[in-house]
Amino acid sequence: MKKILIAGTSSGAGKTTISTAIMGALEGVSPFKAGPDYIDPKFHEFVTKNPSNNLDLFMMGEDAVKYIFSKNTKNISIVEGVMGLYDGLNHELDNYSSAHLSRILDIPVILVVSGKGSSTSIAATVLGFKNLDPRVKIRGVILNNVGSEGLYNLLKEGIERYTKIPCVGYFPKDDRVSIGERHLGLQQASEIEDLNEKIEILKDMARKYIDLDKILEIAEDGNEAVELKNPAEYLKDRFKGKRVGVAKDRAFSFYYSENLKLMEYTGMEIVEFSPVNDFHLPPNLDYIYLGGGYPEIFAKKLYGNSSMMEDIRKASKEIPVYAECGGFMYLTKGIEQLDGNFDHMCGLLDIKVEMKPRLNIGRFGYVDYESKDGIIGRCHEFHYSDIYDIDEENLYFELKKKNGRRWSCGYEKDKIIAGYPHIHFYGNLDLFVNLFDR
């Protein structure tokens, strides 16, 4: 079973660019993303033509992570890490970080290190990562932002002398492969017109500057594939014959792929629809699922599609509607943009949303929840907006961070449950059943 995890020394080290390049240069790659991110997996899927699955120890738990990893392997599994290798919920080593994940899944690590403005000191950086937790199998180093082959060889000599970890290549800075960012991270893969061209450049760079044979050799350093039991096996065909409308377009695209697969496993028929482009909901739906995304960017198109909004208003009185983050914003009275303009939304929840110029850090990150029904689980919040003029009282979630901060979120009205929290169903099976069993 070939497997590697590509991690960085910090956010911005270049792991997404280098992971995508290596995924494109190799054949039969099963891509994965450590942590809760929705955007990076879409680049993985674009370049490999295979689904990319999130592996999030906090939200999913070890059993679900091991199961999803084992059942989605092809020739080689490549996991892109999250933040820096050891960055997680706290300063413990079992902190749901990329390093923690690599130990749970017994994956060798390739460490991406910036070579900019460094010499012998770069060896101290790599040595520190090696020694912080000797259980983490750092088996190779890739240097990013290196100006020349001569500089790479100089840095390589120092790293290998003092750490005994081989350098397996480098990436020079190349503006042709840069990808713009916005408030939730990188632009979405579907928005980048010249993405095919960028990917071809990245693949060529990987073949030219990375020792791919050495990568494959390192990836052999793992256990044999093991067939694991599906933690949701008891839910097989639980919702057989039910049709669920899933909002899928440029405004709503944040879904964990295994959430959708679980829905199909339980017997649901997924029918995709576009709140931006379709005039009406698909017929004969039993549920509606509105995922996260960018309703604020497509607000005028969403509000201009009055027939779709009216269908959703009517449906919410009759069938369960579950909405996360962007989907939740869509159901409110409207969104106040950064320029002060107010864009009306569905008006199903008597709440207004205000966009913010920076991340809502008070409600960012991993959160424990208890639902109104007494269900306990874990979720994630990440949003550049906040709510105001709140005239809804029927709250569904009580949320608590590890630092003791508490708040309430998630609103229940008619057949709707909607809020900012993102849920991975595999780590929250009781909640999954409750959401679709109403």
Side-chain angles (χ1 to χ4, degrees):
M1 181 180 178
K2 297 188 184 74
K3 52 187 181 181
I4 56 168
L5 187 149
I6 300 175
T9 53
S10 65
S11 294
K15 61 183 176 294
T16 299
T17 300
I18 290 172
S19 296
T20 303
I22 293 172
M23 288 176 184
L26 297 176
E27 297 291 331
V29 171
S30 304
F32 297 89
K33 173 64 181 178
D37 182 77
Y38 289 100
I39 297 175
D40 292 346
K42 294 304 178 185
F43 288 95
H44 302 170
E45 291 174 0
F46 186 92
V47 72
T48 67
K49 311 305 180 192
N50 290 319
S52 182
N53 292 289
N54 292 74
L55 302 171
D56 193 300
L57 285 169
F58 180 86
M59 283 200 292
M60 299 162 60
E62 287 188 21
D63 289 345
V65 163
K66 288 178 178 178
Y67 169 72
I68 288 170
F69 185 68
S70 70
K71 87 180 185 80
N72 286 289
T73 56
K74 294 187 183 297
N75 290 354
I76 177 172
S77 296
I78 300 181
V79 183
E80 181 190 341
V82 58
M83 300 188 293
L85 176 60
Y86 291 105
D87 297 334
L89 190 60
N90 52 40
H91 294 310
E92 303 296 326
L93 295 180
D94 289 350
N95 63 349
Y96 314 107
S97 64
S98 301
H100 187 186
L101 179 67
S102 77
R103 290 192 286 105
I104 294 298
L105 296 177
D106 191 29
I107 307 179
V109 173
I110 305 290
L111 186 66
V112 177
V113 186
S114 175
K116 186 176 181 180
S118 189
S119 182
T120 311
S121 295
I122 200 169
T125 298
V126 176
L127 188 62
F129 275 81
K130 175 183 179 180
N131 291 341
L132 183 63
D133 188 350
R135 298 173 296 173
V136 177
K137 302 192 299 186
I138 301 176
R139 295 292 185 261
V141 172
I142 293 175
L143 300 179
N144 194 28
N145 290 322
V146 175
S148 67
E149 185 176 1
L151 176 58
Y152 167 66
N153 287 329
L154 179 68
L155 298 175
K156 178 177 186 286
E157 179 188 353
I159 290 169
E160 293 182 348
R161 175 186 295 188
Y162 292 109
T163 72
K164 310 305 180 190
I165 299 173
C167 290
V168 297
Y170 72 101
F171 254 40
K173 182 175 175 57
D174 193 323
D175 292 334
R176 295 176 300 166
V177 297
S178 64
I179 295 171
E181 295 192 14
R182 62 153 61 97
H183 52 275
L184 294 183
L186 295 173
Q187 287 180 284
Q188 296 182 92
S190 61
E191 298 175 297
I192 302 170
E193 293 182 2
D194 60 346
L195 185 57
N196 268 315
E197 179 183 338
K198 290 179 185 293
I199 293 300
E200 289 305 314
I201 294 170
L202 283 173
K203 288 159 67 172
D204 288 343
M205 289 174 68
R207 297 184 185 108
K208 181 176 180 179
Y209 298 113
I210 304 293
D211 187 344
L212 296 174
D213 289 335
K214 185 64 176 179
I215 294 283
L216 291 172
E217 180 185 324
I218 291 170
E220 292 278 8
D221 184 14
N223 296 331
E224 294 298 315
V226 178
E227 189 80 22
L228 296 175
K229 182 180 178 181
N230 186 349
E233 188 174 24
Y234 68 100
L235 295 177
K236 176 71 173 172
D237 295 331
R238 169 70 178 261
F239 299 106
K240 189 174 179 63
K242 301 293 186 181
R243 283 166 54 89
V244 55
V246 176
K248 275 283 195 81
D249 55 27
R250 290 175 67 185
F252 303 100
S253 60
F254 292 173
Y255 297 92
Y256 295 125
S257 59
E258 282 293 340
N259 277 6
L260 302 179
K261 290 178 191 175
L262 177 62
M263 292 162 72
E264 292 179 322
Y265 181 80
T266 62
M268 295 185 196
E269 177 190 355
I270 292 176
V271 186
E272 294 183 3
F273 71 96
S274 169
V276 173
N277 301 312
D278 295 338
F279 293 117
H280 294 284
L281 283 172
N284 305 316
L285 295 181
D286 297 288
Y287 318 105
I288 296 173
Y289 182 11
L290 301 167
Y294 298 96
E296 68 277 12
I297 292 175
F298 300 93
K300 286 180 171 52
K301 289 186 176 181
L302 289 167
Y303 184 65
N305 194 349
S306 57
S307 58
M308 174 60 75
M309 283 191 167
E310 185 57 30
D311 277 8
I312 289 176
R313 291 185 191 109
K314 290 177 181 176
S316 69
K317 311 289 184 186
E318 300 170 0
I319 62 174
V321 177
Y322 173 55
E324 291 182 335
C325 204
F328 162 55
M329 295 164 66
Y330 177 57
L331 297 182
T332 66
K333 294 178 75 172
I335 301 171
E336 182 179 322
Q337 304 286 3
L338 290 175
D339 62 7
N341 287 322
F342 188 84
D343 291 307
H344 293 275
M345 292 287 105
C346 289
L348 282 165
L349 298 173
D350 199 359
I351 296 168
K352 294 177 182 175
V353 177
E354 180 182 14
M355 296 306 301
K356 299 288 187 179
R358 59 187 61 86
L359 180 66
N360 189 333
I361 197 68
R363 289 176 53 173
F364 158 72
Y366 288 134
V367 187
D368 292 285
Y369 71 77
E370 182 171 356
S371 76
K372 179 181 175 181
D373 318 282
I375 298 170
I376 295 173
R378 289 174 163 182
C379 60
H380 186 265
E381 283 202 22
F382 189 101
H383 45 95
Y384 279 67
S385 65
D386 207 349
I387 52 179
Y388 69 104
D389 282 359
I390 304 162
D391 287 321
E392 296 290 347
E393 297 180 354
N394 214 2
L395 289 154
Y396 190 70
F397 290 119
E398 289 293 325
L399 302 168
K400 182 178 68 173
K401 294 188 76 169
K402 295 297 184 185
N403 63 10
R405 181 177 173 82
R406 295 172 177 266
W407 66 94
S408 300
C409 188
Y411 294 88
E412 186 175 22
K413 185 175 184 180
D414 297 324
K415 296 284 188 176
I416 297 169
I417 291 178
Y420 277 121
H422 289 288
I423 307 288
H424 198 293
F425 293 155
Y426 259 96
N428 297 275
L429 292 173
D430 290 342
L431 182 69
F432 165 72
V433 171
N434 197 59
L435 290 172
F436 293 100
D437 214 14
R438 292 176 287 136

mmCIF file of all heavy atoms in Angstrom, residues 16 18 22 27 29 40 47 58 80 83 98 138 140 143 167-168 177 188 207 269 273 284 302 352 379 381 421 434:
data_model
loop_
_atom_site.group_PDB
_atom_site.id
_atom_site.type_symbol
_atom_site.label_atom_id
_atom_site.label_comp_id
_atom_site.label_asym_id
_atom_site.label_seq_id
_atom_site.Cartn_x
_atom_site.Cartn_y
_atom_site.Cartn_z
ATOM 1 N N THR A 16 0.098 22.923 -0.934
ATOM 2 C CA THR A 16 -0.993 22.707 -1.885
ATOM 3 C C THR A 16 -0.460 22.670 -3.310
ATOM 4 O O THR A 16 -0.804 21.770 -4.091
ATOM 5 C CB THR A 16 -2.060 23.804 -1.752
ATOM 6 O OG1 THR A 16 -2.610 23.772 -0.444
ATOM 7 C CG2 THR A 16 -3.183 23.594 -2.767
ATOM 8 N N ILE A 18 2.623 21.988 -4.342
ATOM 9 C CA ILE A 18 3.495 20.831 -4.555
ATOM 10 C C ILE A 18 2.701 19.528 -4.507
ATOM 11 O O ILE A 18 2.936 18.615 -5.308
ATOM 12 C CB ILE A 18 4.649 20.850 -3.540
ATOM 13 C CG1 ILE A 18 5.601 22.000 -3.898
ATOM 14 C CG2 ILE A 18 5.385 19.522 -3.491
ATOM 15 C CD1 ILE A 18 6.681 22.275 -2.883
ATOM 16 N N ILE A 22 2.537 16.895 -7.681
ATOM 17 C CA ILE A 22 2.920 15.476 -7.575
ATOM 18 C C ILE A 22 1.732 14.578 -7.897
ATOM 19 O O ILE A 22 1.876 13.554 -8.584
ATOM 20 C CB ILE A 22 3.493 15.187 -6.173
ATOM 21 C CG1 ILE A 22 4.830 15.922 -5.994
ATOM 22 C CG2 ILE A 22 3.679 13.689 -5.953
ATOM 23 C CD1 ILE A 22 5.391 15.858 -4.587
ATOM 24 N N GLU A 27 0.496 8.390 -11.566
ATOM 25 C CA GLU A 27 -0.703 7.716 -12.084
ATOM 26 C C GLU A 27 -1.466 7.036 -10.950
ATOM 27 O O GLU A 27 -0.878 6.542 -9.996
ATOM 28 C CB GLU A 27 -0.300 6.659 -13.128
ATOM 29 C CG GLU A 27 0.386 7.225 -14.361
ATOM 30 C CD GLU A 27 -0.543 8.047 -15.226
ATOM 31 O OE1 GLU A 27 -1.761 7.764 -15.235
ATOM 32 O OE2 GLU A 27 -0.058 8.996 -15.881
ATOM 33 N N VAL A 29 -3.630 8.098 -8.583
ATOM 34 C CA VAL A 29 -3.524 8.700 -7.252
ATOM 35 C C VAL A 29 -4.882 8.761 -6.577
ATOM 36 O O VAL A 29 -5.878 9.181 -7.170
ATOM 37 C CB VAL A 29 -2.934 10.122 -7.350
ATOM 38 C CG1 VAL A 29 -3.009 10.843 -6.010
ATOM 39 C CG2 VAL A 29 -1.497 10.060 -7.855
ATOM 40 N N ASP A 40 -9.151 22.883 -1.278
ATOM 41 C CA ASP A 40 -8.030 22.101 -1.796
ATOM 42 C C ASP A 40 -8.470 20.786 -2.442
ATOM 43 O O ASP A 40 -7.920 20.404 -3.494
ATOM 44 C CB ASP A 40 -7.020 21.819 -0.685
ATOM 45 C CG ASP A 40 -6.302 23.085 -0.213
ATOM 46 O OD1 ASP A 40 -6.397 24.114 -0.907
ATOM 47 O OD2 ASP A 40 -5.659 23.046 0.853
ATOM 48 N N VAL A 47 -7.088 17.455 -10.887
ATOM 49 C CA VAL A 47 -5.834 16.954 -11.459
ATOM 50 C C VAL A 47 -5.784 15.429 -11.514
ATOM 51 O O VAL A 47 -5.156 14.855 -12.415
ATOM 52 C CB VAL A 47 -4.620 17.521 -10.686
ATOM 53 C CG1 VAL A 47 -4.492 16.908 -9.307
ATOM 54 C CG2 VAL A 47 -3.332 17.340 -11.474
ATOM 55 N N PHE A 58 -10.593 15.125 14.388
ATOM 56 C CA PHE A 58 -11.454 15.760 15.384
ATOM 57 C C PHE A 58 -12.921 15.500 15.077
ATOM 58 O O PHE A 58 -13.679 15.052 15.947
ATOM 59 C CB PHE A 58 -11.198 17.271 15.441
ATOM 60 C CG PHE A 58 -12.064 17.981 16.447
ATOM 61 C CD1 PHE A 58 -11.677 18.074 17.779
ATOM 62 C CD2 PHE A 58 -13.273 18.554 16.075
ATOM 63 C CE1 PHE A 58 -12.483 18.720 18.710
ATOM 64 C CE2 PHE A 58 -14.084 19.206 16.996
ATOM 65 C CZ PHE A 58 -13.686 19.283 18.317
ATOM 66 N N GLU A 80 -2.695 15.557 1.443
ATOM 67 C CA GLU A 80 -2.173 16.907 1.667
ATOM 68 C C GLU A 80 -2.463 17.306 3.103
ATOM 69 O O GLU A 80 -3.604 17.212 3.570
ATOM 70 C CB GLU A 80 -2.806 17.917 0.715
ATOM 71 C CG GLU A 80 -2.251 19.317 0.939
ATOM 72 C CD GLU A 80 -2.998 20.412 0.204
ATOM 73 O OE1 GLU A 80 -3.725 20.112 -0.756
ATOM 74 O OE2 GLU A 80 -2.856 21.589 0.621
ATOM 75 N N MET A 83 -2.213 23.267 7.567
ATOM 76 C CA MET A 83 -1.355 24.189 8.308
ATOM 77 C C MET A 83 0.076 23.629 8.389
ATOM 78 O O MET A 83 0.552 23.002 7.456
ATOM 79 C CB MET A 83 -1.945 24.471 9.696
ATOM 80 C CG MET A 83 -3.329 25.099 9.634
ATOM 81 S SD MET A 83 -3.965 25.665 11.243
ATOM 82 C CE MET A 83 -4.195 24.126 12.112
ATOM 83 N N SER A 98 -1.667 17.258 11.248
ATOM 84 C CA SER A 98 -1.192 16.371 10.182
ATOM 85 C C SER A 98 -0.251 15.307 10.740
ATOM 86 O O SER A 98 -0.271 14.151 10.309
ATOM 87 C CB SER A 98 -0.468 17.186 9.108
ATOM 88 O OG SER A 98 -1.314 18.152 8.556
ATOM 89 N N ILE A 138 9.214 11.310 9.151
ATOM 90 C CA ILE A 138 9.603 12.275 8.117
ATOM 91 C C ILE A 138 10.675 11.609 7.261
ATOM 92 O O ILE A 138 11.795 11.385 7.708
ATOM 93 C CB ILE A 138 10.118 13.588 8.736
ATOM 94 C CG1 ILE A 138 9.031 14.223 9.608
ATOM 95 C CG2 ILE A 138 10.536 14.561 7.626
ATOM 96 C CD1 ILE A 138 9.474 15.483 10.338
ATOM 97 N N GLY A 140 11.359 12.508 3.826
ATOM 98 C CA GLY A 140 11.896 13.282 2.717
ATOM 99 C C GLY A 140 11.583 14.757 2.891
ATOM 100 O O GLY A 140 10.675 15.134 3.640
ATOM 101 N N LEU A 143 12.155 21.363 -1.015
ATOM 102 C CA LEU A 143 12.401 22.779 -0.770
ATOM 103 C C LEU A 143 11.608 23.628 -1.761
ATOM 104 O O LEU A 143 11.638 23.368 -2.970
ATOM 105 C CB LEU A 143 13.892 23.079 -0.889
ATOM 106 C CG LEU A 143 14.788 22.302 0.093
ATOM 107 C CD1 LEU A 143 16.246 22.662 -0.123
ATOM 108 C CD2 LEU A 143 14.379 22.584 1.525
ATOM 109 N N CYS A 167 16.734 14.925 0.748
ATOM 110 C CA CYS A 167 15.971 15.905 -0.019
ATOM 111 C C CYS A 167 15.571 15.252 -1.345
ATOM 112 O O CYS A 167 16.408 14.639 -2.014
ATOM 113 C CB CYS A 167 16.795 17.159 -0.275
ATOM 114 S SG CYS A 167 17.086 18.154 1.200
ATOM 115 N N VAL A 168 14.310 15.386 -1.718
ATOM 116 C CA VAL A 168 13.805 14.687 -2.907
ATOM 117 C C VAL A 168 13.421 15.663 -4.013
ATOM 118 O O VAL A 168 12.744 15.277 -4.967
ATOM 119 C CB VAL A 168 12.618 13.772 -2.545
ATOM 120 C CG1 VAL A 168 13.068 12.684 -1.592
ATOM 121 C CG2 VAL A 168 11.459 14.568 -1.939
ATOM 122 N N VAL A 177 1.986 29.712 -12.105
ATOM 123 C CA VAL A 177 1.130 28.736 -11.422
ATOM 124 C C VAL A 177 0.469 29.314 -10.173
ATOM 125 O O VAL A 177 -0.136 28.593 -9.396
ATOM 126 C CB VAL A 177 1.920 27.460 -11.043
ATOM 127 C CG1 VAL A 177 2.418 26.769 -12.296
ATOM 128 C CG2 VAL A 177 3.088 27.787 -10.104
ATOM 129 N N GLN A 188 -11.903 28.911 -6.121
ATOM 130 C CA GLN A 188 -12.328 27.554 -6.409
ATOM 131 C C GLN A 188 -11.770 27.095 -7.760
ATOM 132 O O GLN A 188 -11.596 27.901 -8.682
ATOM 133 C CB GLN A 188 -13.851 27.466 -6.427
ATOM 134 C CG GLN A 188 -14.486 27.774 -5.084
ATOM 135 C CD GLN A 188 -15.976 27.629 -5.137
ATOM 136 O OE1 GLN A 188 -16.526 26.577 -4.856
ATOM 137 N NE2 GLN A 188 -16.657 28.696 -5.511
ATOM 138 N N ARG A 207 7.946 16.756 -12.684
ATOM 139 C CA ARG A 207 8.804 15.797 -13.383
ATOM 140 C C ARG A 207 10.239 16.302 -13.493
ATOM 141 O O ARG A 207 11.193 15.517 -13.460
ATOM 142 C CB ARG A 207 8.237 15.521 -14.777
ATOM 143 C CG ARG A 207 6.857 14.859 -14.769
ATOM 144 C CD ARG A 207 6.396 14.521 -16.178
ATOM 145 N NE ARG A 207 5.028 13.994 -16.179
ATOM 146 C CZ ARG A 207 3.980 14.668 -16.638
ATOM 147 N NH1 ARG A 207 4.131 15.873 -17.158
ATOM 148 N NH2 ARG A 207 2.772 14.132 -16.599
ATOM 149 N N GLU A 269 -31.530 8.871 -3.024
ATOM 150 C CA GLU A 269 -31.192 9.266 -4.394
ATOM 151 C C GLU A 269 -30.872 10.751 -4.377
ATOM 152 O O GLU A 269 -31.723 11.572 -4.011
ATOM 153 C CB GLU A 269 -32.355 8.996 -5.338
ATOM 154 C CG GLU A 269 -32.085 9.456 -6.759
ATOM 155 C CD GLU A 269 -33.316 9.425 -7.651
ATOM 156 O OE1 GLU A 269 -34.377 8.959 -7.195
ATOM 157 O OE2 GLU A 269 -33.213 9.895 -8.802
ATOM 158 N N PHE A 273 -29.346 20.296 -7.890
ATOM 159 C CA PHE A 273 -30.036 21.428 -8.503
ATOM 160 C C PHE A 273 -29.230 22.687 -8.232
ATOM 161 O O PHE A 273 -28.381 22.721 -7.335
ATOM 162 C CB PHE A 273 -31.465 21.565 -7.968
ATOM 163 C CG PHE A 273 -31.554 22.039 -6.537
ATOM 164 C CD1 PHE A 273 -31.761 23.386 -6.236
ATOM 165 C CD2 PHE A 273 -31.428 21.137 -5.478
ATOM 166 C CE1 PHE A 273 -31.837 23.816 -4.922
ATOM 167 C CE2 PHE A 273 -31.507 21.570 -4.161
ATOM 168 C CZ PHE A 273 -31.713 22.910 -3.877
ATOM 169 N N ASN A 284 -40.736 15.922 -6.523
ATOM 170 C CA ASN A 284 -40.871 14.770 -5.613
ATOM 171 C C ASN A 284 -39.691 14.594 -4.660
ATOM 172 O O ASN A 284 -39.206 13.482 -4.434
ATOM 173 C CB ASN A 284 -41.063 13.475 -6.428
ATOM 174 C CG ASN A 284 -42.234 13.566 -7.390
ATOM 175 O OD1 ASN A 284 -43.303 14.055 -7.024
ATOM 176 N ND2 ASN A 284 -42.028 13.120 -8.619
ATOM 177 N N LEU A 302 -28.968 34.992 -7.031
ATOM 178 C CA LEU A 302 -29.817 34.158 -6.184
ATOM 179 C C LEU A 302 -31.159 34.832 -5.941
ATOM 180 O O LEU A 302 -32.220 34.208 -6.071
ATOM 181 C CB LEU A 302 -29.113 33.865 -4.851
ATOM 182 C CG LEU A 302 -27.930 32.908 -4.917
ATOM 183 C CD1 LEU A 302 -27.128 32.945 -3.611
ATOM 184 C CD2 LEU A 302 -28.396 31.483 -5.197
ATOM 185 N N LYS A 352 -30.569 38.607 9.775
ATOM 186 C CA LYS A 352 -29.775 39.243 8.732
ATOM 187 C C LYS A 352 -28.307 38.879 8.916
ATOM 188 O O LYS A 352 -27.865 38.588 10.032
ATOM 189 C CB LYS A 352 -29.948 40.765 8.769
ATOM 190 C CG LYS A 352 -31.353 41.225 8.414
ATOM 191 C CD LYS A 352 -31.484 42.744 8.537
ATOM 192 C CE LYS A 352 -32.903 43.195 8.233
ATOM 193 N NZ LYS A 352 -33.062 44.663 8.464
ATOM 194 N N CYS A 379 -17.990 19.633 15.304
ATOM 195 C CA CYS A 379 -18.187 20.316 14.037
ATOM 196 C C CYS A 379 -17.074 21.339 13.832
ATOM 197 O O CYS A 379 -16.120 21.397 14.609
ATOM 198 C CB CYS A 379 -19.559 20.982 14.003
ATOM 199 S SG CYS A 379 -19.814 22.220 15.299
ATOM 200 N N GLU A 381 -16.382 25.570 12.357
ATOM 201 C CA GLU A 381 -16.901 26.842 11.853
ATOM 202 C C GLU A 381 -15.777 27.640 11.204
ATOM 203 O O GLU A 381 -14.645 27.646 11.686
ATOM 204 C CB GLU A 381 -17.531 27.677 12.972
ATOM 205 C CG GLU A 381 -18.905 27.199 13.391
ATOM 206 C CD GLU A 381 -19.720 28.290 14.086
ATOM 207 O OE1 GLU A 381 -19.422 29.493 13.890
ATOM 208 O OE2 GLU A 381 -20.655 27.939 14.832
ATOM 209 N N PRO A 421 -22.382 25.890 11.615
ATOM 210 C CA PRO A 421 -21.520 24.708 11.753
ATOM 211 C C PRO A 421 -21.507 23.814 10.516
ATOM 212 O O PRO A 421 -22.545 23.543 9.908
ATOM 213 C CB PRO A 421 -22.135 23.966 12.956
ATOM 214 C CG PRO A 421 -22.815 25.029 13.746
ATOM 215 C CD PRO A 421 -23.357 25.983 12.721
ATOM 216 N N ASN A 434 -30.865 12.006 12.621
ATOM 217 C CA ASN A 434 -31.869 12.925 13.140
ATOM 218 C C ASN A 434 -32.237 14.003 12.109
ATOM 219 O O ASN A 434 -33.403 14.379 11.992
ATOM 220 C CB ASN A 434 -31.374 13.577 14.411
ATOM 221 C CG ASN A 434 -32.488 14.203 15.223
ATOM 222 O OD1 ASN A 434 -33.418 13.523 15.635
ATOM 223 N ND2 ASN A 434 -32.403 15.497 15.450
#
